[in-house]
Amino acid sequence: MALSTIILAAGQGKRMRSNMPKVLQPLAGRPLLSHVLDTARALNAADIAVVYGHGGEAVQAACAADDLRWALQAEQLGTGHAVLQAAPGIPDDHQALVLYGDVPLLTIATLRRLIDATATDALSVLTVDLKDPTGYGRIIRVAGEVVASVEEKDATVEQRAVTEINTGVMIAPGARLKSWLGALRNDNAQGEYYLTDVISMAVSDGVTVNGIKADDRTEVMGINDKKQLAEAERALQARLVAELMAQGVGFADPARVDIRGKLTCGKDVFIDINAIFEGEVTLGDGTRIESNNLIRDSRLGPGSVVHSNCHIEGATSGSDCEIGPFARLRPGAALANKVKIGNFVEVKKSTIADGSKINHLTYIGDADIGTGVNVGAGTITCNYDGANKHKTTIGDGVFIGSGVNLVAPIDIGKGATIGAGSTITKPAPEGQLTLERSKQITVSGWKKPVKKGK
Ligand code: UD1
Ligand code: CA
């Protein structure tokens, strides 16, 4: 049976105390809602409807995609009313699965179990046992069978003692769900149209109701405030790191790493503490990432080492490169093999061929550097004239002395040596020493300044 999902994302999320709509709050670097969208997509849902309201345009802009159907809930009159806004688009013969935009950690395995346990004409609700069920809807069973879900504010003292709660996730036949939604009333403690009331309607109609228990409490966590958001972040990070450890990746401390995107690792990768990975990052076999590194959208080849305190974005390296400590690789930094980028070196939009070394205090921008080049400390490619960027080309085997300004556009021929302290503005020929320096003078009769008396 085809599946339609309805994702509820219209709430304001008052308890976040934020100008940002709740479903856009970031979890592992992405909006809460985009995690739920991923889940719906992984289930191969034929139709994904998102009920939006609060911060409507921002939510649509952040999660825009062709496969989504947006249903506006102009006024937030309850979860049942929210589903009703998306109901016209749900085909009668689909199974309709309701997910919440603020419940982002559900696993595909649990949802598959829920879907598989649900017969064509049945309703299933995902529940969980909580030591402290405060705030949640309670699942009421009679002789073991689910008969209702009662909101805390409407519950009797006896019902409040129940520890099995409604996670909010529910699946029912499209046609049935639509007819039940049409019959919802709001004569309850909150004056809202509760989605949960369809459970007792199903029972009245003689439809089988299953209460399927989730094993893991963190999975069904609803996120309402910053504390729960932080708890969910740690839970998700623990899950991501566990997956990588199962693949053989070593972590100095699995609790001190953050993955905000997709991290792909080869064999024998080791990651020390406080590494942050953002976007798509790939680490080749035997790569070692030392402490305090931020690596974003980059690919590092096998055997490469990133020493402590580097900032790496949009960069690539071949094998056995050494980066840092305190290096910055910006977008378009492309290192070949056995390249060394040392401390306080910044590289932007430049290619650096095999075995070249830039070890200290240097800026390389818009440059093509050949093999076996040595760039001395304090060298700057002067790539910007205030209006345009210009290119620097350095041939194989060049030696650039310390403190050199290479004023681009400029070409340094193969095997050339550039004398320390030079400002090079004209092409330097192959294999020769080129330098540019003013004459050294010693000023006779010069006196050291002395401190004025008081
Ligand atoms: C809801 C359930 C409760 C369950 C809990 C699990 C109902 C009546 N209650 O309570 O049984 O234990 O979730 O976390 O269903 N939303 C809308 N439009 C609305 C109201 C809500 O889109 O008019 C969305 C919210 O943005 C949120 C979700 O629905 O994503 C849940 O709403 P929320 O107000 O947080 O419901 P709870 O009180 O937590
Ligand atoms: Ca909630």
Side-chain angles (χ1 to χ4, degrees):
M1 214 172 166
L3 184 71
S4 283
T5 57
I6 304 99
I7 300 173
L8 304 193
Q12 177 181 9
K14 279 202 192 89
R15 286 166 282 176
M16 281 290 170
R17 296 182 184 277
S18 168
N19 290 329
M20 189 190 276
K22 174 158 82 171
V23 292
L24 294 189
Q25 298 287 333
L27 179 71
R30 295 188 303 138
L32 287 176
L33 179 58
S34 71
H35 292 268
V36 183
L37 293 175
D38 283 356
T39 306
R41 289 179 179 127
L43 292 170
N44 293 320
D47 175 54
I48 303 174
V50 182
V51 181
Y52 72 108
H54 258 281
E57 274 167 28
V59 174
Q60 280 183 304
C63 298
D66 292 341
D67 61 344
L68 302 181
R69 186 161 66 80
W70 295 90
L72 177 66
Q73 186 193 26
E75 262 189 295
Q76 281 73 59
L77 303 179
T79 49
H81 179 260
V83 179
L84 190 60
Q85 308 314 302
I90 304 171
D92 286 347
D93 59 350
H94 279 202
Q95 274 185 308
L97 172 71
V98 178
L99 301 175
Y100 285 8
D102 65 350
V103 180
L105 299 182
L106 277 168
T107 62
I108 305 304
T110 296
L111 289 172
R112 275 264 158 252
R113 192 154 61 80
L114 182 81
I115 295 166
D116 293 346
T118 308
T120 311
D121 195 27
L123 178 152
S124 295
V125 55
L126 186 67
T127 74
V128 74
D129 285 313
L130 291 185
K131 269 200 202 97
D132 176 12
T134 309
Y136 288 96
R138 310 296 204 279
I139 296 294
I140 309 303
R141 291 183 185 256
V142 171
E145 301 296 329
V146 175
V147 295
S149 174
V150 180
E151 291 307 289
E152 179 165 280
K153 290 190 172 121
D154 300 289
T156 63
V157 174
E158 210 178 33
Q159 287 171 331
R160 284 185 193 197
V162 172
T163 55
E164 184 181 10
I165 63 99
N166 171 31
T167 66
V169 176
M170 186 187 284
I171 185 166
R176 292 272 200 194
L177 182 67
K178 286 190 278 185
S179 79
W180 294 327
L181 289 173
L184 285 179
R185 295 159 53 102
N186 65 349
D187 50 350
N188 51 51
Q190 302 184 82
E192 289 184 3
Y193 296 92
Y194 292 161
L195 174 64
T196 44
D197 285 352
V198 306
I199 295 173
S200 46
M201 290 178 176
V203 173
S204 300
D205 285 353
V207 171
T208 308
V209 175
N210 310 299
I212 309 289
K213 280 193 191 179
D215 311 316
D216 176 7
R217 281 182 295 110
T218 54
E219 201 184 328
V220 295
M221 215 178 126
I223 296 173
N224 300 307
D225 56 29
K226 294 277 164 69
K227 183 168 180 277
Q228 289 169 334
L229 185 61
E231 282 165 15
E233 180 74 38
R234 290 338 302 167
L236 178 52
Q237 292 302 331
R239 194 192 278 177
L240 296 173
V241 170
E243 280 168 17
L244 287 163
M245 288 192 293
Q247 291 164 23
V249 179
F251 290 91
D253 182 352
R256 282 184 290 171
V257 61
D258 283 85
I259 300 164
R260 301 170 189 156
K262 186 161 172 44
L263 175 61
T264 309
C265 294
K267 283 218 166 73
D268 298 311
V269 168
F270 180 78
I271 298 171
D272 211 323
I273 60 166
N274 298 340
I276 300 176
F277 299 94
E278 296 189 346
E280 297 229 350
V281 175
T282 305
L283 304 178
D285 290 355
T287 304
R288 202 171 83 233
I289 309 297
E290 292 185 355
S291 60
N292 306 326
N293 278 297
L294 184 127
I295 305 180
R296 182 184 293 145
D297 293 317
S298 295
R299 197 158 37 78
L300 302 181
S304 293
V305 178
V306 180
H307 296 296
S308 294
N309 300 299
C310 294
H311 191 286
I312 297 177
E313 175 174 14
T316 58
S317 91
S319 61
D320 304 306
C321 288
E322 209 175 321
I323 300 160
F326 297 100
R328 178 167 185 210
L329 298 184
R330 290 170 52 199
L335 321 184
N337 308 304
K338 298 192 169 160
V339 169
K340 279 184 76 175
I341 303 294
N343 41 256
F344 309 107
V345 172
E346 173 180 347
V347 180
K348 183 214 82 168
K349 207 173 167 190
S350 296
T351 60
I352 301 172
D354 290 358
S356 289
K357 294 176 183 163
I358 309 168
N359 275 332
H360 332 266
L361 299 159
T362 289
Y363 173 63
I364 298 293
D366 304 297
D368 279 331
I369 297 182
T371 61
V373 168
N374 193 310
V375 177
T379 294
I380 306 286
T381 52
C382 309
N383 60 329
Y384 187 49
D385 58 14
N388 296 299
K389 302 281 172 65
H390 301 283
K391 191 144 192 154
T392 298
T393 310
I394 300 177
D396 295 344
V398 163
F399 180 92
I400 311 263
S402 298
V404 168
N405 298 312
L406 298 167
V407 181
I410 193 79
D411 207 335
I412 310 297
K414 271 187 200 166
T417 293
I418 306 297
S422 302
T423 293
I424 302 295
T425 56
K426 294 191 283 277
E430 285 186 15
Q432 296 186 54
L433 170 66
T434 298
L435 52 82
E436 182 280 336
R437 272 178 212 159
S438 59
K439 214 175 185 176
Q440 179 168 325
I441 58 163
T442 303
V443 180
S444 63
W446 177 82
K447 292 226 162 53
K448 250 190 187 171
V450 287
K451 253 191 180 156
K452 279 185 188 146
K454 284 192 180 155

PDB file of all heavy atoms in Angstrom, residues 53-74:
ATOM      1  N   GLY A  53       2.800  27.043   9.282  1.00  0.00           N
ATOM      2  CA  GLY A  53       2.016  28.179   9.749  1.00  0.00           C
ATOM      3  C   GLY A  53       2.944  29.239  10.281  1.00  0.00           C
ATOM      4  O   GLY A  53       3.340  30.145   9.559  1.00  0.00           O
ATOM      5  N   HIS A  54       3.399  29.036  11.519  1.00  0.00           N
ATOM      6  CA  HIS A  54       4.310  30.010  12.117  1.00  0.00           C
ATOM      7  C   HIS A  54       5.598  30.117  11.330  1.00  0.00           C
ATOM      8  O   HIS A  54       6.212  29.121  10.990  1.00  0.00           O
ATOM      9  CB  HIS A  54       4.611  29.614  13.563  1.00  0.00           C
ATOM     10  CG  HIS A  54       3.819  30.439  14.506  1.00  0.00           C
ATOM     11  ND1 HIS A  54       4.175  31.713  14.836  1.00  0.00           N
ATOM     12  CD2 HIS A  54       2.649  30.186  15.136  1.00  0.00           C
ATOM     13  CE1 HIS A  54       3.269  32.214  15.649  1.00  0.00           C
ATOM     14  NE2 HIS A  54       2.325  31.304  15.850  1.00  0.00           N
ATOM     15  N   GLY A  55       6.014  31.328  11.030  1.00  0.00           N
ATOM     16  CA  GLY A  55       7.255  31.553  10.276  1.00  0.00           C
ATOM     17  C   GLY A  55       7.171  30.901   8.921  1.00  0.00           C
ATOM     18  O   GLY A  55       8.162  30.421   8.382  1.00  0.00           O
ATOM     19  N   GLY A  56       5.946  30.886   8.348  1.00  0.00           N
ATOM     20  CA  GLY A  56       5.652  30.119   7.135  1.00  0.00           C
ATOM     21  C   GLY A  56       6.671  30.248   6.024  1.00  0.00           C
ATOM     22  O   GLY A  56       7.219  29.253   5.567  1.00  0.00           O
ATOM     23  N   GLU A  57       6.946  31.494   5.601  1.00  0.00           N
ATOM     24  CA  GLU A  57       7.830  31.662   4.446  1.00  0.00           C
ATOM     25  C   GLU A  57       9.253  31.206   4.740  1.00  0.00           C
ATOM     26  O   GLU A  57       9.904  30.601   3.897  1.00  0.00           O
ATOM     27  CB  GLU A  57       7.836  33.126   4.000  1.00  0.00           C
ATOM     28  CG  GLU A  57       6.696  33.413   3.059  1.00  0.00           C
ATOM     29  CD  GLU A  57       6.473  34.892   2.832  1.00  0.00           C
ATOM     30  OE1 GLU A  57       7.451  35.668   2.936  1.00  0.00           O
ATOM     31  OE2 GLU A  57       5.322  35.260   2.552  1.00  0.00           O
ATOM     32  N   ALA A  58       9.696  31.483   5.961  1.00  0.00           N
ATOM     33  CA  ALA A  58      11.059  31.074   6.335  1.00  0.00           C
ATOM     34  C   ALA A  58      11.171  29.550   6.310  1.00  0.00           C
ATOM     35  O   ALA A  58      12.170  28.990   5.850  1.00  0.00           O
ATOM     36  CB  ALA A  58      11.410  31.606   7.722  1.00  0.00           C
ATOM     37  N   VAL A  59      10.129  28.893   6.779  1.00  0.00           N
ATOM     38  CA  VAL A  59      10.143  27.423   6.806  1.00  0.00           C
ATOM     39  C   VAL A  59      10.162  26.881   5.378  1.00  0.00           C
ATOM     40  O   VAL A  59      10.969  26.003   5.035  1.00  0.00           O
ATOM     41  CB  VAL A  59       8.928  26.870   7.590  1.00  0.00           C
ATOM     42  CG1 VAL A  59       8.857  25.351   7.484  1.00  0.00           C
ATOM     43  CG2 VAL A  59       8.992  27.316   9.052  1.00  0.00           C
ATOM     44  N   GLN A  60       9.319  27.461   4.526  1.00  0.00           N
ATOM     45  CA  GLN A  60       9.275  26.995   3.128  1.00  0.00           C
ATOM     46  C   GLN A  60      10.603  27.249   2.425  1.00  0.00           C
ATOM     47  O   GLN A  60      11.080  26.412   1.670  1.00  0.00           O
ATOM     48  CB  GLN A  60       8.153  27.713   2.374  1.00  0.00           C
ATOM     49  CG  GLN A  60       6.792  27.126   2.652  1.00  0.00           C
ATOM     50  CD  GLN A  60       5.728  27.814   1.828  1.00  0.00           C
ATOM     51  OE1 GLN A  60       5.578  29.031   1.886  1.00  0.00           O
ATOM     52  NE2 GLN A  60       4.986  27.038   1.062  1.00  0.00           N
ATOM     53  N   ALA A  61      11.181  28.425   2.685  1.00  0.00           N
ATOM     54  CA  ALA A  61      12.443  28.758   2.016  1.00  0.00           C
ATOM     55  C   ALA A  61      13.559  27.829   2.473  1.00  0.00           C
ATOM     56  O   ALA A  61      14.373  27.373   1.673  1.00  0.00           O
ATOM     57  CB  ALA A  61      12.822  30.210   2.305  1.00  0.00           C
ATOM     58  N   ALA A  62      13.589  27.516   3.757  1.00  0.00           N
ATOM     59  CA  ALA A  62      14.685  26.697   4.292  1.00  0.00           C
ATOM     60  C   ALA A  62      14.614  25.257   3.802  1.00  0.00           C
ATOM     61  O   ALA A  62      15.638  24.584   3.687  1.00  0.00           O
ATOM     62  CB  ALA A  62      14.681  26.740   5.814  1.00  0.00           C
ATOM     63  N   CYS A  63      13.401  24.778   3.549  1.00  0.00           N
ATOM     64  CA  CYS A  63      13.248  23.351   3.212  1.00  0.00           C
ATOM     65  C   CYS A  63      12.665  23.141   1.823  1.00  0.00           C
ATOM     66  O   CYS A  63      12.127  22.071   1.528  1.00  0.00           O
ATOM     67  CB  CYS A  63      12.393  22.663   4.261  1.00  0.00           C
ATOM     68  SG  CYS A  63      13.145  22.717   5.902  1.00  0.00           S
ATOM     69  N   ALA A  64      12.767  24.164   0.962  1.00  0.00           N
ATOM     70  CA  ALA A  64      12.168  24.066  -0.367  1.00  0.00           C
ATOM     71  C   ALA A  64      12.647  22.823  -1.116  1.00  0.00           C
ATOM     72  O   ALA A  64      13.835  22.523  -1.133  1.00  0.00           O
ATOM     73  CB  ALA A  64      12.512  25.315  -1.182  1.00  0.00           C
ATOM     74  N   ALA A  65      11.703  22.087  -1.687  1.00  0.00           N
ATOM     75  CA  ALA A  65      12.042  20.916  -2.505  1.00  0.00           C
ATOM     76  C   ALA A  65      10.818  20.568  -3.338  1.00  0.00           C
ATOM     77  O   ALA A  65       9.684  20.828  -2.931  1.00  0.00           O
ATOM     78  CB  ALA A  65      12.436  19.737  -1.617  1.00  0.00           C
ATOM     79  N   ASP A  66      11.080  19.972  -4.502  1.00  0.00           N
ATOM     80  CA  ASP A  66       9.992  19.683  -5.440  1.00  0.00           C
ATOM     81  C   ASP A  66       9.054  18.595  -4.956  1.00  0.00           C
ATOM     82  O   ASP A  66       7.910  18.515  -5.394  1.00  0.00           O
ATOM     83  CB  ASP A  66      10.583  19.240  -6.794  1.00  0.00           C
ATOM     84  CG  ASP A  66      11.310  20.391  -7.479  1.00  0.00           C
ATOM     85  OD1 ASP A  66      11.048  21.546  -7.094  1.00  0.00           O
ATOM     86  OD2 ASP A  66      12.138  20.119  -8.374  1.00  0.00           O
ATOM     87  N   ASP A  67       9.567  17.741  -4.070  1.00  0.00           N
ATOM     88  CA  ASP A  67       8.747  16.588  -3.676  1.00  0.00           C
ATOM     89  C   ASP A  67       7.822  16.890  -2.485  1.00  0.00           C
ATOM     90  O   ASP A  67       7.220  15.984  -1.945  1.00  0.00           O
ATOM     91  CB  ASP A  67       9.644  15.379  -3.360  1.00  0.00           C
ATOM     92  CG  ASP A  67      10.608  15.652  -2.219  1.00  0.00           C
ATOM     93  OD1 ASP A  67      10.805  16.836  -1.860  1.00  0.00           O
ATOM     94  OD2 ASP A  67      11.158  14.678  -1.676  1.00  0.00           O
ATOM     95  N   LEU A  68       7.724  18.165  -2.096  1.00  0.00           N
ATOM     96  CA  LEU A  68       6.911  18.483  -0.919  1.00  0.00           C
ATOM     97  C   LEU A  68       5.605  19.170  -1.310  1.00  0.00           C
ATOM     98  O   LEU A  68       5.557  19.959  -2.240  1.00  0.00           O
ATOM     99  CB  LEU A  68       7.684  19.397   0.038  1.00  0.00           C
ATOM    100  CG  LEU A  68       9.012  18.864   0.547  1.00  0.00           C
ATOM    101  CD1 LEU A  68       9.642  19.862   1.509  1.00  0.00           C
ATOM    102  CD2 LEU A  68       8.830  17.513   1.241  1.00  0.00           C
ATOM    103  N   ARG A  69       4.581  18.845  -0.562  1.00  0.00           N
ATOM    104  CA  ARG A  69       3.290  19.517  -0.721  1.00  0.00           C
ATOM    105  C   ARG A  69       3.097  20.342   0.550  1.00  0.00           C
ATOM    106  O   ARG A  69       3.139  19.796   1.647  1.00  0.00           O
ATOM    107  CB  ARG A  69       2.199  18.443  -0.852  1.00  0.00           C
ATOM    108  CG  ARG A  69       0.829  18.948  -1.150  1.00  0.00           C
ATOM    109  CD  ARG A  69      -0.028  17.797  -1.713  1.00  0.00           C
ATOM    110  NE  ARG A  69      -0.261  16.737  -0.727  1.00  0.00           N
ATOM    111  CZ  ARG A  69      -1.182  16.807   0.232  1.00  0.00           C
ATOM    112  NH1 ARG A  69      -1.929  17.867   0.361  1.00  0.00           N
ATOM    113  NH2 ARG A  69      -1.357  15.793   1.084  1.00  0.00           N
ATOM    114  N   TRP A  70       2.939  21.648   0.397  1.00  0.00           N
ATOM    115  CA  TRP A  70       2.821  22.518   1.568  1.00  0.00           C
ATOM    116  C   TRP A  70       1.347  22.798   1.846  1.00  0.00           C
ATOM    117  O   TRP A  70       0.599  23.164   0.948  1.00  0.00           O
ATOM    118  CB  TRP A  70       3.557  23.836   1.318  1.00  0.00           C
ATOM    119  CG  TRP A  70       5.032  23.649   1.172  1.00  0.00           C
ATOM    120  CD1 TRP A  70       5.718  23.405   0.013  1.00  0.00           C
ATOM    121  CD2 TRP A  70       6.002  23.654   2.219  1.00  0.00           C
ATOM    122  NE1 TRP A  70       7.065  23.263   0.283  1.00  0.00           N
ATOM    123  CE2 TRP A  70       7.271  23.417   1.625  1.00  0.00           C
ATOM    124  CE3 TRP A  70       5.944  23.844   3.601  1.00  0.00           C
ATOM    125  CZ2 TRP A  70       8.445  23.358   2.369  1.00  0.00           C
ATOM    126  CZ3 TRP A  70       7.119  23.792   4.335  1.00  0.00           C
ATOM    127  CH2 TRP A  70       8.348  23.542   3.724  1.00  0.00           C
ATOM    128  N   ALA A  71       0.940  22.629   3.102  1.00  0.00           N
ATOM    129  CA  ALA A  71      -0.441  22.923   3.486  1.00  0.00           C
ATOM    130  C   ALA A  71      -0.397  23.963   4.600  1.00  0.00           C
ATOM    131  O   ALA A  71       0.208  23.741   5.643  1.00  0.00           O
ATOM    132  CB  ALA A  71      -1.135  21.652   3.961  1.00  0.00           C
ATOM    133  N   LEU A  72      -1.031  25.085   4.335  1.00  0.00           N
ATOM    134  CA  LEU A  72      -1.006  26.183   5.308  1.00  0.00           C
ATOM    135  C   LEU A  72      -2.055  25.973   6.399  1.00  0.00           C
ATOM    136  O   LEU A  72      -3.215  25.697   6.120  1.00  0.00           O
ATOM    137  CB  LEU A  72      -1.278  27.504   4.596  1.00  0.00           C
ATOM    138  CG  LEU A  72      -1.349  28.741   5.513  1.00  0.00           C
ATOM    139  CD1 LEU A  72       0.002  29.038   6.147  1.00  0.00           C
ATOM    140  CD2 LEU A  72      -1.843  29.957   4.739  1.00  0.00           C
ATOM    141  N   GLN A  73      -1.585  26.074   7.644  1.00  0.00           N
ATOM    142  CA  GLN A  73      -2.518  26.119   8.770  1.00  0.00           C
ATOM    143  C   GLN A  73      -2.401  27.532   9.338  1.00  0.00           C
ATOM    144  O   GLN A  73      -1.497  27.832  10.108  1.00  0.00           O
ATOM    145  CB  GLN A  73      -2.150  25.069   9.832  1.00  0.00           C
ATOM    146  CG  GLN A  73      -3.190  24.993  10.943  1.00  0.00           C
ATOM    147  CD  GLN A  73      -2.705  24.194  12.148  1.00  0.00           C
ATOM    148  OE1 GLN A  73      -1.507  24.084  12.399  1.00  0.00           O
ATOM    149  NE2 GLN A  73      -3.652  23.637  12.902  1.00  0.00           N
ATOM    150  N   ALA A  74      -3.310  28.396   8.917  1.00  0.00           N
ATOM    151  CA  ALA A  74      -3.185  29.824   9.253  1.00  0.00           C
ATOM    152  C   ALA A  74      -3.305  30.046  10.749  1.00  0.00           C
ATOM    153  O   ALA A  74      -2.615  30.887  11.314  1.00  0.00           O
ATOM    154  CB  ALA A  74      -4.232  30.623   8.486  1.00  0.00           C
TER     155      ALA A  74
END
